[in-house]
Amino acid sequence: MKTAIIASVVAGAAAFAPAANKPASTQLSASLSELDGGSSLPLPNFDPLKLAEQGSDETLRWYRAAELKHGRCAMVATVGYLTNAAGYHFPGQLSSDISFESLAAMSPPEAWAAVPIAGKAQILVTIFAAELISEGYQGTHYMKGGEYPTMVFPAIDFSGVSKETMERKRTSELNNGRLAQIAILSFISEHYIPGSVPVLANNPGWH
């Protein structure tokens, strides 16, 4: 009888005891090879710093989304920089006292500095709106398994594209974005540090 009473007391106490904390696993179930696109031969998964092995699956998907966004912005920036450096511009006025022609006569960093505060604010608000839309607040977030950020302006419908073609397009976009990031950083570096990019040295479009 005593044994039964003691056993029931121990069982009751155990019911209120805190559960043992199991160490959280940091092992990734996803890997670079499982992400959509991006591999570039002869180095299919170039990750010397092992960043893909840090954090969780959500972290790895966040890295990929960040790479997509930065690559897209860099591609737009590179084309814009080259267009401005070549002297092409929109007709008319940017504001009451600044023409697009006058901006085209400047280097791209100088042209940005000459844009009125109101104009810069409109650009930043547009970027903020695109960021909200692309973050997937209307559905499952990409860090939780939803779709990666898509193009916002303009929105492009890829529903009729085959899986094989889509994989090729994703890889092309990632690789072009990576190259564009190198390009725009090189342009900016040569502008502020003349001679830092020998191939662009003594080119008036970058100084």
Side-chain angles (χ1 to χ4, degrees):
M1 183 67 178
K2 290 182 179 180
T3 303
I5 293 174
I6 293 173
S8 64
V9 171
V10 171
F16 292 96
N21 292 326
K22 295 181 179 180
S25 174
T26 58
Q27 183 68 29
L28 289 175
S29 61
S31 65
L32 280 179
S33 60
E34 295 172 359
L35 292 179
D36 293 332
S39 297
S40 302
L41 294 175
L43 301 172
N45 292 318
F46 183 69
D47 185 24
L49 299 180
K50 305 297 182 183
L51 295 177
E53 299 177 8
Q54 307 299 318
S56 62
D57 292 349
E58 288 80 6
T59 304
L60 185 57
R61 291 182 66 83
W62 185 87
Y63 285 156
R64 171 47 55 85
E67 181 181 29
L68 275 170
K69 290 184 179 183
H70 285 102
R72 290 165 181 167
C73 290
M75 286 188 279
V76 173
T78 299
V79 172
Y81 203 111
L82 292 173
T83 301
N84 184 281
Y88 295 104
H89 58 81
F90 290 110
Q93 298 286 122
L94 174 67
S95 63
S96 59
D97 57 342
I98 298 178
S99 66
F100 284 108
E101 183 177 4
S102 66
L103 293 178
M106 308 176 189
S107 67
E110 292 169 343
W112 169 254
V115 173
I117 296 298
K120 292 177 180 176
Q122 292 176 48
I123 294 172
L124 294 176
V125 168
T126 302
I127 293 173
F128 179 70
E131 180 72 2
L132 287 179
I133 295 171
S134 67
E135 277 297 306
Y137 290 110
Q138 296 79 13
T140 304
H141 196 268
Y142 55 80
M143 290 177 65
K144 301 297 182 182
E147 293 293 328
Y148 284 112
T150 58
M151 294 294 293
V152 178
F153 306 122
I156 303 174
D157 182 14
F158 290 107
S159 59
V161 179
S162 67
K163 181 180 179 181
E164 293 75 15
T165 301
M166 200 65 201
E167 289 178 354
R168 179 176 57 80
K169 287 182 178 295
R170 286 195 181 104
T171 297
S172 296
E173 180 185 33
L174 285 164
N175 288 331
N176 290 335
R178 291 163 182 165
L179 181 60
Q181 290 177 74
I182 295 173
I184 192 63
L185 287 175
S186 298
F187 296 167
I188 295 172
S189 176
E190 177 60 30
H191 175 79
Y192 288 106
I193 310 175
S196 59
V197 183
V199 71
L200 300 178
N202 302 319
N203 190 317
W206 278 265
H207 301 93

